[in-house]
Amino acid sequence: MSLLILTSNQDLSADYLIVELIARGLPYFRLNAEDISNAKLKFEKTTDIFQRQISIGPRSINLDEIRSVWYRRAVHPTPTAAISPPKRAFVAGELRHLALGLVLDDRIQWVNPIDKVSVAEHKIYQLRCAEALGLRIPQTLVSEDPRALREFAARNRHGTICKPIFHGLFVEGSDRYSIYTRRVSATDFTDESYADCPVLLQEEIPRSADVRATFIGSKCFVADITTEENAVDWRDPRLSIRHAVSTLDTYTESLCRQLLRRLGLVYGAFDFIRTPEGDLVFLEVNPTGEWAWLEEQLGFNMRGAFIDLFYG
């Protein structure tokens, strides 16, 4: 039984799990998107042969031997520099569809299925599903209308936050920036510059902690995260962060599992705000969210949970 890991060469969570796989002598095959253009991808169907195979240098895998796939990163191959610019988009598409056509298999376990991830990544859809199941969500507005944005920001008693609708990565030339959740006010929306792009606003929820609840199959690992600065986005690397082992109440955990089933996910990293009264307010669930730092910080056996899922 083998595990196929679909990822990129900069995936530290994959590196972290692979260290444990090697220590336990467990078979795996890592396919980085960056390696696909130099790999040998083979699909053959003849009277006597039916074969799906990937080879990268000395490593080779018969895809019929795969029983689990860990889908960490989207498969977007980059053609080699030898290919002329007019042909690059065509070749990239051919490589992507060949690679995915080879590995897609509905008879085996995917964590998580590619099609389910592409749907579950939509935050607006998540909010609708979460509220329908009974999870509390913040008051939210997504709009390009400066007047509507001003009015929404003005009526939130505890303040207003702004966050990206998608991933928050801004690319400018060779530079990359992360756009973090931030506090805003009605005076930030005084002109028409926002008409070019929709803005996602939410009421700010008073917090005693942020909560990351990571579901790996049947296991759930919960951490409370606090910052000295009372920040609205603990992911900002400039912040001082404290972690503490925590729990979800039985009702909230049940609703999380219902949401995972509705979204078709086996793995999900949930973000909540814990209010001073102890209530939990749902923010989002990431179907490919990071987790390794929590095992390092709090001693969670998250790698063990993944290994049970993939090889159990």
Side-chain angles (χ1 to χ4, degrees):
M1 179 186 296
S2 293
L3 168 67
L4 173 64
I5 302 173
L6 297 179
T7 188
S8 69
N9 59 18
Q10 298 296 315
D11 185 359
L12 297 180
S13 289
D15 297 341
Y16 190 67
L17 179 64
I18 286 171
V19 169
E20 186 69 13
L21 298 182
I22 293 171
R24 298 193 189 195
L26 294 171
Y28 73 92
F29 189 90
R30 178 173 182 161
L31 180 61
N32 295 327
E34 298 87 350
D35 297 333
I36 291 175
S37 61
N38 293 314
K40 296 184 184 302
L41 309 176
K42 182 180 180 181
F43 176 83
E44 184 176 5
K45 170 63 175 73
T46 66
T47 303
D48 303 317
I49 299 173
F50 193 100
Q51 187 177 56
R52 297 177 297 134
Q53 187 171 14
I54 298 176
S55 299
I56 302 174
R59 299 183 298 119
S60 183
I61 184 70
N62 177 351
L63 291 166
D64 286 327
E65 298 174 357
I66 296 297
R67 293 295 175 267
S68 295
V69 178
W70 191 23
Y71 178 54
R72 282 283 303 158
R73 295 284 187 270
V75 179
H76 290 301
T78 302
T80 63
I83 297 174
S84 64
K87 299 178 182 177
R88 292 177 70 81
F90 174 81
V91 173
E94 294 292 285
L95 285 170
R96 181 173 186 271
H97 280 261
L98 172 56
L100 287 176
L102 286 172
V103 302
L104 287 171
D105 190 338
D106 61 4
R107 301 168 300 173
I108 63 177
Q109 175 177 236
W110 284 70
V111 183
N112 285 301
I114 290 178
D115 58 330
K116 302 302 183 183
V117 170
S118 66
V119 172
E121 285 181 328
H122 291 81
K123 293 179 184 178
I124 306 304
Y125 178 58
Q126 285 184 18
L127 290 172
R128 291 162 49 204
C129 293
E131 184 178 48
L133 289 170
L135 289 165
R136 177 183 167 188
I137 68 171
Q139 297 293 313
T140 304
L141 173 69
V142 184
S143 177
E144 300 167 351
D145 181 356
R147 179 178 177 179
L149 296 169
R150 285 196 301 271
E151 291 176 353
F152 180 85
R155 67 174 178 259
N156 291 320
R157 182 162 60 96
H158 297 290
T160 303
I161 63 97
C162 179
K163 63 170 63 172
I165 299 171
F166 184 30
H167 52 56
L169 180 65
F170 190 87
V171 179
E172 186 174 8
S174 60
D175 296 322
R176 291 171 174 251
Y177 308 95
S178 292
I179 301 174
Y180 297 107
T181 300
R182 64 194 187 281
R183 293 183 173 98
V184 295
S185 67
T187 58
D188 291 313
F189 306 102
T190 56
D191 57 44
E192 299 299 319
S193 62
Y194 295 92
D196 295 330
C197 181
V199 177
L200 192 164
L201 300 183
Q202 289 181 325
E203 62 172 328
E204 182 170 349
I205 305 295
R207 56 175 31 89
S208 62
D210 285 270
V211 178
R212 169 59 67 91
T214 307
F215 288 75
I216 306 171
S218 63
K219 307 291 177 56
C220 178
F221 304 90
V222 185
D224 278 9
I225 302 171
T226 56
T227 66
E228 295 178 0
E229 300 86 350
N230 190 31
V232 294
D233 194 334
W234 53 265
R235 298 170 303 168
D236 188 333
R238 298 168 295 182
L239 299 175
S240 300
I241 300 175
R242 294 186 294 270
H243 299 80
V245 176
S246 187
T247 58
L248 296 180
D249 60 89
T250 303
Y251 179 65
T252 301
E253 181 174 340
S254 173
L255 292 180
C256 289
R257 294 197 182 279
Q258 290 181 51
L259 182 56
L260 289 172
R261 287 194 294 271
R262 180 164 178 171
L263 296 174
L265 304 178
V266 182
Y267 169 88
F270 285 76
D271 286 323
F272 292 91
I273 290 174
R274 192 185 303 280
T275 71
E277 297 76 28
D279 297 328
L280 288 172
V281 181
F282 172 85
L283 297 179
E284 62 182 272
V285 55
N286 190 331
T288 57
E290 302 302 331
W291 53 272
W293 97 96
L294 289 170
E295 179 167 323
E296 286 290 293
Q297 289 287 334
L298 298 174
F300 290 148
N301 186 22
M302 302 174 91
R303 286 185 290 187
F306 275 114
I307 287 170
D308 289 344
L309 190 59
F310 295 139
Y311 299 91

